[in-house]
Amino acid sequence: MENAFGQPQSVVVLGGTSEIARAIVRKLCAARAEVVVLAGRDPARLAEAAREAEEYGAARTEVVVVDAEDPASAGPAVAAAFERVGAPVDLVIVAVGALGDQSEFENDPAEATRMVTVNMTWPVAALTAVRTRLLAQGHGRILVITSVAAVRVRRSMYLYAGAKAGLDRLCQGMSDSLVGTGVRLQLVRPGFVRTKMTAGQKEAPFTTGPNEVAEYVVRGLSSNAPVIWSPPVLRYLFMVVRHLPAAVWRRVADL
Amino acid sequence: MTRLAGWGRTPAASASVVTPSSEEALVELLGRGPLCARGLGRSYGDAAQLAGGTVADLTGLDEIGPIDDAGLVTLGAGASVDALLAVSLPEGWFVPVTPGTRQVTMGGAVAADVHGKNHHRDGSFGSHVESLRLATPRGVFDVSPAVDPDLFWATVGGMGLTGIVTRVRLRLLRVESDVVLVDTERFDDLDGVMAAMVEGDERYRYSVAWVDCTARGSRTGRAVLTRGDHAPAGADAPRAPRAGRLSVPFVAPPGLLNRLSVRAFNEAWFRRAPRHAVAEPHSIGGFFHPLDGVADWNRLYGPRGFLQYQFVVPEGAGDTVRAVVERLARSGLVSFLAVLKRFGPGDPGHLSFPLAGWTLALDLPVGAPSLPGELDALDELVLSVGGRVYLAKDARLAPAKVEAMYPRLEEWRAVRGRVDPEGVLSSDLARRLHLVGR
């Protein structure tokens, strides 16, 4: 059961090898998390993340191997993850995603489909299954990691950012659907984060590492903010960015 | 499904709430699946909720029997202290122990083994219970300190996990008036007030100190000590306490109670108290239940809610109280007036909170990033001197510390196993702290 600070005892991570998710899990294990189930594609990296969770205090970890390119796998993966926890699930982190260099594949319809599947379709399928289960539990929390890029989509990564934007908006509605149920959905919108996924890309202003994101997330669990910005100043920056005229945005977005 | 939370408005849960109107209906519920009892929802944390399960709201079992010449009365588990006083005070009977609110049920008072300002003299609620009727998955039992004392004392302070209390036979206290004569003293630091309490508490039935945990430097732990007893018969016959007329109509915005506003309140409150006053008449409500004057005051803490951290340390560990107050003052955390009290010896309840020594209760708004870690550190301090935190207030203790704080937990589990081997009785508190095992 989660405590008064929103610190969970049981955690399911979809996208368990994500560096941001791993940083969050480390902090949660150092607090109250006892059982962590990690779902992801690469068994070796999942095992490594599981070992790390145990080092930070988890009493038990499990892994579920799943391919986020196949939306049909989402429901069964969620079912398997909940079953491995074997008790009420306090927190589900949705950290599935793919970025890549869009200039290399933006003319390929199959790649465009893949970007939307991994960043939106699979997460939505999974969230639908998660939502039903948490409602039946009468409590639980969902963290969905999107991006500030979803707030205003830019030219150089419209496939990633557009798919994340779809996920982000959809989750706002899903979050509203949960008010008063004991279940809560919170969006995490990090700015540029130094990870393997973004390696080689030009850093944006207010770049952070995964641990800083995790710190803001842990605070957000306690404050119940519907959207957790990382760093928090981006909330105000993107209030402006969102309203920039298109001509201005085109010029500054990919500086 | 209905959304439930504790008085601190923190972890929320949805459960199906049912309101059994008889013991038979309750027994039937016990046969159906995971069940948790709830009264008026004054536990601060998650003791009276069971996410995804069934919560039995017992406020319907609220009958109050006649009071006999010895002050014995049989009450339904859902009868509140407020309802009891409305009947008993005009007849010259007072509750033997009252917590800081009248809005608690008999079942809840037993389950948390509540204490009041008279613990140093009269012990906690369980010590005044003649017998209990308990509905368990293995049958309905009448228990008392003489009949099945193990089950009786496992239930007193057992957080509702050894069965659901349906009836309580309680010994009341004879009073001649509805007035309390109160001596008030103001102290500029914690040492002064603690010395005064050690020296003089035995002379008073009721004693409590309010400590300002926001004052720093030489004024760290400044306090107002109020002590008193029931007044002798006056011109008027005693009357029932009046209901408060104020209420907080909506949830305040987050941060209304911040460092500045709380410090200003504490300052005003400290200055308002007389430096020294003797035998001032106070009403029952004003002295025992000041916060009942404002309905839904917990909404002042805003949407994030708050928690109460209450701990007890043994007699010789007064230094730990000082260390906690100093730590809080230094931390800059917002704490409304803290309540300091001396406890007398504990009762035989396996999980009963009080033990002879000092208890301090702090109201803290949720939100400060440093709060979770700070409270974990306070747990260590408390545990290192053999103290414990109060389960009825808890919403964040680390499960690993429960066994150390409540060394008779295993013994209690064995008694519970006798009447609930399948683990039907549960709560979010029980699941969070693994009280009934994993």
Side-chain angles (χ1 to χ4, degrees), chain B residues 4-27:
Chain B
L4 300 171
W7 189 243
R9 301 169 50 86
T10 49
S14 282
S16 19
V17 177
V18 289
T19 44
S21 53
S22 66
E23 193 177 273
E24 295 73 55
L26 189 60
V27 168

mmCIF file with all atom_site columns, all heavy atoms in Angstrom, chain B residues 4-27:
data_model
loop_
_atom_site.group_PDB
_atom_site.id
_atom_site.type_symbol
_atom_site.label_atom_id
_atom_site.label_alt_id
_atom_site.label_comp_id
_atom_site.label_asym_id
_atom_site.label_entity_id
_atom_site.label_seq_id
_atom_site.pdbx_PDB_ins_code
_atom_site.Cartn_x
_atom_site.Cartn_y
_atom_site.Cartn_z
_atom_site.occupancy
_atom_site.B_iso_or_equiv
_atom_site.pdbx_formal_charge
_atom_site.auth_seq_id
_atom_site.auth_comp_id
_atom_site.auth_asym_id
_atom_site.auth_atom_id
_atom_site.pdbx_PDB_model_num
ATOM 1   N N   . LEU B 1 4  ? -12.718 6.633   0.285  1.00 0.00 ? 4  LEU B N   1
ATOM 2   C CA  . LEU B 1 4  ? -12.501 6.838   1.713  1.00 0.00 ? 4  LEU B CA  1
ATOM 3   C C   . LEU B 1 4  ? -11.094 7.343   1.954  1.00 0.00 ? 4  LEU B C   1
ATOM 4   O O   . LEU B 1 4  ? -10.187 7.065   1.195  1.00 0.00 ? 4  LEU B O   1
ATOM 5   C CB  . LEU B 1 4  ? -12.661 5.510   2.473  1.00 0.00 ? 4  LEU B CB  1
ATOM 6   C CG  . LEU B 1 4  ? -14.004 4.792   2.397  1.00 0.00 ? 4  LEU B CG  1
ATOM 7   C CD1 . LEU B 1 4  ? -13.883 3.413   3.033  1.00 0.00 ? 4  LEU B CD1 1
ATOM 8   C CD2 . LEU B 1 4  ? -15.080 5.606   3.090  1.00 0.00 ? 4  LEU B CD2 1
ATOM 9   N N   . ALA B 1 5  ? -10.929 8.093   3.046  1.00 0.00 ? 5  ALA B N   1
ATOM 10  C CA  . ALA B 1 5  ? -9.589  8.479   3.483  1.00 0.00 ? 5  ALA B CA  1
ATOM 11  C C   . ALA B 1 5  ? -9.647  8.657   4.982  1.00 0.00 ? 5  ALA B C   1
ATOM 12  O O   . ALA B 1 5  ? -10.735 8.710   5.565  1.00 0.00 ? 5  ALA B O   1
ATOM 13  C CB  . ALA B 1 5  ? -9.144  9.765   2.788  1.00 0.00 ? 5  ALA B CB  1
ATOM 14  N N   . GLY B 1 6  ? -8.490  8.738   5.614  1.00 0.00 ? 6  GLY B N   1
ATOM 15  C CA  . GLY B 1 6  ? -8.450  8.999   7.035  1.00 0.00 ? 6  GLY B CA  1
ATOM 16  C C   . GLY B 1 6  ? -8.624  10.488  7.306  1.00 0.00 ? 6  GLY B C   1
ATOM 17  O O   . GLY B 1 6  ? -8.794  11.287  6.378  1.00 0.00 ? 6  GLY B O   1
ATOM 18  N N   . TRP B 1 7  ? -8.557  10.864  8.572  1.00 0.00 ? 7  TRP B N   1
ATOM 19  C CA  . TRP B 1 7  ? -8.755  12.259  8.949  1.00 0.00 ? 7  TRP B CA  1
ATOM 20  C C   . TRP B 1 7  ? -7.682  13.154  8.337  1.00 0.00 ? 7  TRP B C   1
ATOM 21  O O   . TRP B 1 7  ? -7.899  14.333  8.082  1.00 0.00 ? 7  TRP B O   1
ATOM 22  C CB  . TRP B 1 7  ? -8.784  12.376  10.475 1.00 0.00 ? 7  TRP B CB  1
ATOM 23  C CG  . TRP B 1 7  ? -9.185  13.726  10.969 1.00 0.00 ? 7  TRP B CG  1
ATOM 24  C CD1 . TRP B 1 7  ? -8.413  14.580  11.695 1.00 0.00 ? 7  TRP B CD1 1
ATOM 25  C CD2 . TRP B 1 7  ? -10.453 14.380  10.784 1.00 0.00 ? 7  TRP B CD2 1
ATOM 26  N NE1 . TRP B 1 7  ? -9.128  15.725  11.968 1.00 0.00 ? 7  TRP B NE1 1
ATOM 27  C CE2 . TRP B 1 7  ? -10.381 15.629  11.425 1.00 0.00 ? 7  TRP B CE2 1
ATOM 28  C CE3 . TRP B 1 7  ? -11.633 14.020  10.130 1.00 0.00 ? 7  TRP B CE3 1
ATOM 29  C CZ2 . TRP B 1 7  ? -11.444 16.534  11.436 1.00 0.00 ? 7  TRP B CZ2 1
ATOM 30  C CZ3 . TRP B 1 7  ? -12.698 14.921  10.138 1.00 0.00 ? 7  TRP B CZ3 1
ATOM 31  C CH2 . TRP B 1 7  ? -12.588 16.157  10.791 1.00 0.00 ? 7  TRP B CH2 1
ATOM 32  N N   . GLY B 1 8  ? -6.501  12.601  8.092  1.00 0.00 ? 8  GLY B N   1
ATOM 33  C CA  . GLY B 1 8  ? -5.420  13.376  7.488  1.00 0.00 ? 8  GLY B CA  1
ATOM 34  C C   . GLY B 1 8  ? -5.608  13.577  5.992  1.00 0.00 ? 8  GLY B C   1
ATOM 35  O O   . GLY B 1 8  ? -4.817  14.248  5.350  1.00 0.00 ? 8  GLY B O   1
ATOM 36  N N   . ARG B 1 9  ? -6.646  12.953  5.428  1.00 0.00 ? 9  ARG B N   1
ATOM 37  C CA  . ARG B 1 9  ? -6.982  13.076  4.007  1.00 0.00 ? 9  ARG B CA  1
ATOM 38  C C   . ARG B 1 9  ? -5.835  12.633  3.108  1.00 0.00 ? 9  ARG B C   1
ATOM 39  O O   . ARG B 1 9  ? -5.712  13.101  1.988  1.00 0.00 ? 9  ARG B O   1
ATOM 40  C CB  . ARG B 1 9  ? -7.404  14.515  3.688  1.00 0.00 ? 9  ARG B CB  1
ATOM 41  C CG  . ARG B 1 9  ? -8.614  14.982  4.515  1.00 0.00 ? 9  ARG B CG  1
ATOM 42  C CD  . ARG B 1 9  ? -8.836  16.470  4.374  1.00 0.00 ? 9  ARG B CD  1
ATOM 43  N NE  . ARG B 1 9  ? -8.856  16.857  2.978  1.00 0.00 ? 9  ARG B NE  1
ATOM 44  C CZ  . ARG B 1 9  ? -9.926  16.821  2.207  1.00 0.00 ? 9  ARG B CZ  1
ATOM 45  N NH1 . ARG B 1 9  ? -11.068 16.431  2.673  1.00 0.00 ? 9  ARG B NH1 1
ATOM 46  N NH2 . ARG B 1 9  ? -9.849  17.183  0.950  1.00 0.00 ? 9  ARG B NH2 1
ATOM 47  N N   . THR B 1 10 ? -4.974  11.738  3.599  1.00 0.00 ? 10 THR B N   1
ATOM 48  C CA  . THR B 1 10 ? -3.907  11.216  2.736  1.00 0.00 ? 10 THR B CA  1
ATOM 49  C C   . THR B 1 10 ? -4.340  9.927   2.055  1.00 0.00 ? 10 THR B C   1
ATOM 50  O O   . THR B 1 10 ? -5.412  9.933   1.504  1.00 0.00 ? 10 THR B O   1
ATOM 51  C CB  . THR B 1 10 ? -2.579  11.123  3.480  1.00 0.00 ? 10 THR B CB  1
ATOM 52  O OG1 . THR B 1 10 ? -2.783  10.473  4.710  1.00 0.00 ? 10 THR B OG1 1
ATOM 53  C CG2 . THR B 1 10 ? -1.970  12.489  3.697  1.00 0.00 ? 10 THR B CG2 1
ATOM 54  N N   . PRO B 1 11 ? -3.611  8.824   2.038  1.00 0.00 ? 11 PRO B N   1
ATOM 55  C CA  . PRO B 1 11 ? -3.882  7.826   0.993  1.00 0.00 ? 11 PRO B CA  1
ATOM 56  C C   . PRO B 1 11 ? -5.363  7.499   0.850  1.00 0.00 ? 11 PRO B C   1
ATOM 57  O O   . PRO B 1 11 ? -6.006  7.043   1.787  1.00 0.00 ? 11 PRO B O   1
ATOM 58  C CB  . PRO B 1 11 ? -3.112  6.588   1.435  1.00 0.00 ? 11 PRO B CB  1
ATOM 59  C CG  . PRO B 1 11 ? -2.403  6.931   2.662  1.00 0.00 ? 11 PRO B CG  1
ATOM 60  C CD  . PRO B 1 11 ? -2.709  8.325   3.052  1.00 0.00 ? 11 PRO B CD  1
ATOM 61  N N   . ALA B 1 12 ? -5.875  7.761   -0.324 1.00 0.00 ? 12 ALA B N   1
ATOM 62  C CA  . ALA B 1 12 ? -7.283  7.515   -0.589 1.00 0.00 ? 12 ALA B CA  1
ATOM 63  C C   . ALA B 1 12 ? -7.469  6.093   -1.092 1.00 0.00 ? 12 ALA B C   1
ATOM 64  O O   . ALA B 1 12 ? -6.557  5.495   -1.646 1.00 0.00 ? 12 ALA B O   1
ATOM 65  C CB  . ALA B 1 12 ? -7.792  8.498   -1.624 1.00 0.00 ? 12 ALA B CB  1
ATOM 66  N N   . ALA B 1 13 ? -8.648  5.579   -0.875 1.00 0.00 ? 13 ALA B N   1
ATOM 67  C CA  . ALA B 1 13 ? -8.954  4.239   -1.343 1.00 0.00 ? 13 ALA B CA  1
ATOM 68  C C   . ALA B 1 13 ? -10.433 4.155   -1.627 1.00 0.00 ? 13 ALA B C   1
ATOM 69  O O   . ALA B 1 13 ? -11.230 4.825   -0.989 1.00 0.00 ? 13 ALA B O   1
ATOM 70  C CB  . ALA B 1 13 ? -8.581  3.228   -0.271 1.00 0.00 ? 13 ALA B CB  1
ATOM 71  N N   . SER B 1 14 ? -10.790 3.330   -2.586 1.00 0.00 ? 14 SER B N   1
ATOM 72  C CA  . SER B 1 14 ? -12.199 3.080   -2.838 1.00 0.00 ? 14 SER B CA  1
ATOM 73  C C   . SER B 1 14 ? -12.550 1.700   -2.318 1.00 0.00 ? 14 SER B C   1
ATOM 74  O O   . SER B 1 14 ? -11.785 0.759   -2.495 1.00 0.00 ? 14 SER B O   1
ATOM 75  C CB  . SER B 1 14 ? -12.497 3.153   -4.330 1.00 0.00 ? 14 SER B CB  1
ATOM 76  O OG  . SER B 1 14 ? -12.558 4.494   -4.725 1.00 0.00 ? 14 SER B OG  1
ATOM 77  N N   . ALA B 1 15 ? -13.700 1.610   -1.698 1.00 0.00 ? 15 ALA B N   1
ATOM 78  C CA  . ALA B 1 15 ? -14.155 0.329   -1.172 1.00 0.00 ? 15 ALA B CA  1
ATOM 79  C C   . ALA B 1 15 ? -15.667 0.318   -1.225 1.00 0.00 ? 15 ALA B C   1
ATOM 80  O O   . ALA B 1 15 ? -16.299 1.367   -1.327 1.00 0.00 ? 15 ALA B O   1
ATOM 81  C CB  . ALA B 1 15 ? -13.673 0.163   0.266  1.00 0.00 ? 15 ALA B CB  1
ATOM 82  N N   . SER B 1 16 ? -16.262 -0.888  -1.170 1.00 0.00 ? 16 SER B N   1
ATOM 83  C CA  . SER B 1 16 ? -17.719 -0.888  -1.041 1.00 0.00 ? 16 SER B CA  1
ATOM 84  C C   . SER B 1 16 ? -18.061 -0.750  0.427  1.00 0.00 ? 16 SER B C   1
ATOM 85  O O   . SER B 1 16 ? -17.601 -1.529  1.259  1.00 0.00 ? 16 SER B O   1
ATOM 86  C CB  . SER B 1 16 ? -18.367 -2.129  -1.650 1.00 0.00 ? 16 SER B CB  1
ATOM 87  O OG  . SER B 1 16 ? -17.448 -3.148  -1.792 1.00 0.00 ? 16 SER B OG  1
ATOM 88  N N   . VAL B 1 17 ? -18.813 0.274   0.734  1.00 0.00 ? 17 VAL B N   1
ATOM 89  C CA  . VAL B 1 17 ? -19.165 0.562   2.124  1.00 0.00 ? 17 VAL B CA  1
ATOM 90  C C   . VAL B 1 17 ? -20.559 0.001   2.390  1.00 0.00 ? 17 VAL B C   1
ATOM 91  O O   . VAL B 1 17 ? -21.494 0.266   1.644  1.00 0.00 ? 17 VAL B O   1
ATOM 92  C CB  . VAL B 1 17 ? -19.142 2.079   2.388  1.00 0.00 ? 17 VAL B CB  1
ATOM 93  C CG1 . VAL B 1 17 ? -19.574 2.380   3.810  1.00 0.00 ? 17 VAL B CG1 1
ATOM 94  C CG2 . VAL B 1 17 ? -17.741 2.627   2.134  1.00 0.00 ? 17 VAL B CG2 1
ATOM 95  N N   . VAL B 1 18 ? -20.656 -0.800  3.426  1.00 0.00 ? 18 VAL B N   1
ATOM 96  C CA  . VAL B 1 18 ? -21.956 -1.333  3.815  1.00 0.00 ? 18 VAL B CA  1
ATOM 97  C C   . VAL B 1 18 ? -22.245 -0.886  5.241  1.00 0.00 ? 18 VAL B C   1
ATOM 98  O O   . VAL B 1 18 ? -21.325 -0.668  6.030  1.00 0.00 ? 18 VAL B O   1
ATOM 99  C CB  . VAL B 1 18 ? -21.990 -2.871  3.730  1.00 0.00 ? 18 VAL B CB  1
ATOM 100 C CG1 . VAL B 1 18 ? -21.975 -3.334  2.293  1.00 0.00 ? 18 VAL B CG1 1
ATOM 101 C CG2 . VAL B 1 18 ? -20.813 -3.468  4.483  1.00 0.00 ? 18 VAL B CG2 1
ATOM 102 N N   . THR B 1 19 ? -23.515 -0.727  5.575  1.00 0.00 ? 19 THR B N   1
ATOM 103 C CA  . THR B 1 19 ? -23.868 -0.270  6.918  1.00 0.00 ? 19 THR B CA  1
ATOM 104 C C   . THR B 1 19 ? -24.757 -1.312  7.589  1.00 0.00 ? 19 THR B C   1
ATOM 105 O O   . THR B 1 19 ? -25.983 -1.220  7.519  1.00 0.00 ? 19 THR B O   1
ATOM 106 C CB  . THR B 1 19 ? -24.612 1.076   6.862  1.00 0.00 ? 19 THR B CB  1
ATOM 107 O OG1 . THR B 1 19 ? -25.567 0.984   5.804  1.00 0.00 ? 19 THR B OG1 1
ATOM 108 C CG2 . THR B 1 19 ? -23.680 2.228   6.577  1.00 0.00 ? 19 THR B CG2 1
ATOM 109 N N   . PRO B 1 20 ? -24.124 -2.305  8.228  1.00 0.00 ? 20 PRO B N   1
ATOM 110 C CA  . PRO B 1 20 ? -24.914 -3.331  8.895  1.00 0.00 ? 20 PRO B CA  1
ATOM 111 C C   . PRO B 1 20 ? -25.735 -2.703  10.028 1.00 0.00 ? 20 PRO B C   1
ATOM 112 O O   . PRO B 1 20 ? -25.247 -1.844  10.754 1.00 0.00 ? 20 PRO B O   1
ATOM 113 C CB  . PRO B 1 20 ? -23.865 -4.302  9.442  1.00 0.00 ? 20 PRO B CB  1
ATOM 114 C CG  . PRO B 1 20 ? -22.594 -3.532  9.486  1.00 0.00 ? 20 PRO B CG  1
ATOM 115 C CD  . PRO B 1 20 ? -22.681 -2.515  8.400  1.00 0.00 ? 20 PRO B CD  1
ATOM 116 N N   . SER B 1 21 ? -26.986 -3.136  10.144 1.00 0.00 ? 21 SER B N   1
ATOM 117 C CA  . SER B 1 21 ? -27.850 -2.540  11.162 1.00 0.00 ? 21 SER B CA  1
ATOM 118 C C   . SER B 1 21 ? -28.028 -3.478  12.355 1.00 0.00 ? 21 SER B C   1
ATOM 119 O O   . SER B 1 21 ? -28.704 -3.155  13.304 1.00 0.00 ? 21 SER B O   1
ATOM 120 C CB  . SER B 1 21 ? -29.212 -2.210  10.549 1.00 0.00 ? 21 SER B CB  1
ATOM 121 O OG  . SER B 1 21 ? -29.721 -3.380  9.935  1.00 0.00 ? 21 SER B OG  1
ATOM 122 N N   . SER B 1 22 ? -27.391 -4.641  12.287 1.00 0.00 ? 22 SER B N   1
ATOM 123 C CA  . SER B 1 22 ? -27.501 -5.580  13.403 1.00 0.00 ? 22 SER B CA  1
ATOM 124 C C   . SER B 1 22 ? -26.247 -6.443  13.452 1.00 0.00 ? 22 SER B C   1
ATOM 125 O O   . SER B 1 22 ? -25.477 -6.507  12.489 1.00 0.00 ? 22 SER B O   1
ATOM 126 C CB  . SER B 1 22 ? -28.716 -6.485  13.212 1.00 0.00 ? 22 SER B CB  1
ATOM 127 O OG  . SER B 1 22 ? -28.498 -7.314  12.078 1.00 0.00 ? 22 SER B OG  1
ATOM 128 N N   . GLU B 1 23 ? -26.078 -7.101  14.599 1.00 0.00 ? 23 GLU B N   1
ATOM 129 C CA  . GLU B 1 23 ? -24.942 -8.013  14.747 1.00 0.00 ? 23 GLU B CA  1
ATOM 130 C C   . GLU B 1 23 ? -25.039 -9.166  13.744 1.00 0.00 ? 23 GLU B C   1
ATOM 131 O O   . GLU B 1 23 ? -24.033 -9.598  13.191 1.00 0.00 ? 23 GLU B O   1
ATOM 132 C CB  . GLU B 1 23 ? -24.923 -8.541  16.176 1.00 0.00 ? 23 GLU B CB  1
ATOM 133 C CG  . GLU B 1 23 ? -23.636 -9.230  16.548 1.00 0.00 ? 23 GLU B CG  1
ATOM 134 C CD  . GLU B 1 23 ? -23.669 -9.668  18.007 1.00 0.00 ? 23 GLU B CD  1
ATOM 135 O OE1 . GLU B 1 23 ? -23.307 -8.846  18.863 1.00 0.00 ? 23 GLU B OE1 1
ATOM 136 O OE2 . GLU B 1 23 ? -24.078 -10.806 18.280 1.00 0.00 ? 23 GLU B OE2 1
ATOM 137 N N   . GLU B 1 24 ? -26.266 -9.627  13.502 1.00 0.00 ? 24 GLU B N   1
ATOM 138 C CA  . GLU B 1 24 ? -26.453 -10.748 12.569 1.00 0.00 ? 24 GLU B CA  1
ATOM 139 C C   . GLU B 1 24 ? -25.960 -10.354 11.175 1.00 0.00 ? 24 GLU B C   1
ATOM 140 O O   . GLU B 1 24 ? -25.299 -11.131 10.481 1.00 0.00 ? 24 GLU B O   1
ATOM 141 C CB  . GLU B 1 24 ? -27.930 -11.160 12.477 1.00 0.00 ? 24 GLU B CB  1
ATOM 142 C CG  . GLU B 1 24 ? -28.528 -11.728 13.761 1.00 0.00 ? 24 GLU B CG  1
ATOM 143 C CD  . GLU B 1 24 ? -28.765 -10.664 14.830 1.00 0.00 ? 24 GLU B CD  1
ATOM 144 O OE1 . GLU B 1 24 ? -29.458 -9.670  14.527 1.00 0.00 ? 24 GLU B OE1 1
ATOM 145 O OE2 . GLU B 1 24 ? -28.233 -10.794 15.951 1.00 0.00 ? 24 GLU B OE2 1
ATOM 146 N N   . ALA B 1 25 ? -26.305 -9.123  10.764 1.00 0.00 ? 25 ALA B N   1
ATOM 147 C CA  . ALA B 1 25 ? -25.887 -8.663  9.444  1.00 0.00 ? 25 ALA B CA  1
ATOM 148 C C   . ALA B 1 25 ? -24.361 -8.603  9.361  1.00 0.00 ? 25 ALA B C   1
ATOM 149 O O   . ALA B 1 25 ? -23.763 -8.934  8.331  1.00 0.00 ? 25 ALA B O   1
ATOM 150 C CB  . ALA B 1 25 ? -26.483 -7.287  9.166  1.00 0.00 ? 25 ALA B CB  1
ATOM 151 N N   . LEU B 1 26 ? -23.741 -8.219  10.468 1.00 0.00 ? 26 LEU B N   1
ATOM 152 C CA  . LEU B 1 26 ? -22.283 -8.123  10.506 1.00 0.00 ? 26 LEU B CA  1
ATOM 153 C C   . LEU B 1 26 ? -21.648 -9.514  10.410 1.00 0.00 ? 26 LEU B C   1
ATOM 154 O O   . LEU B 1 26 ? -20.674 -9.721  9.678  1.00 0.00 ? 26 LEU B O   1
ATOM 155 C CB  . LEU B 1 26 ? -21.871 -7.434  11.808 1.00 0.00 ? 26 LEU B CB  1
ATOM 156 C CG  . LEU B 1 26 ? -20.417 -7.048  11.965 1.00 0.00 ? 26 LEU B CG  1
ATOM 157 C CD1 . LEU B 1 26 ? -20.003 -6.087  10.868 1.00 0.00 ? 26 LEU B CD1 1
ATOM 158 C CD2 . LEU B 1 26 ? -20.190 -6.405  13.320 1.00 0.00 ? 26 LEU B CD2 1
ATOM 159 N N   . VAL B 1 27 ? -22.216 -10.461 11.138 1.00 0.00 ? 27 VAL B N   1
ATOM 160 C CA  . VAL B 1 27 ? -21.711 -11.830 11.107 1.00 0.00 ? 27 VAL B CA  1
ATOM 161 C C   . VAL B 1 27 ? -21.795 -12.382 9.687  1.00 0.00 ? 27 VAL B C   1
ATOM 162 O O   . VAL B 1 27 ? -20.884 -13.052 9.207  1.00 0.00 ? 27 VAL B O   1
ATOM 163 C CB  . VAL B 1 27 ? -22.495 -12.716 12.102 1.00 0.00 ? 27 VAL B CB  1
ATOM 164 C CG1 . VAL B 1 27 ? -22.197 -14.184 11.869 1.00 0.00 ? 27 VAL B CG1 1
ATOM 165 C CG2 . VAL B 1 27 ? -22.159 -12.310 13.532 1.00 0.00 ? 27 VAL B CG2 1
#
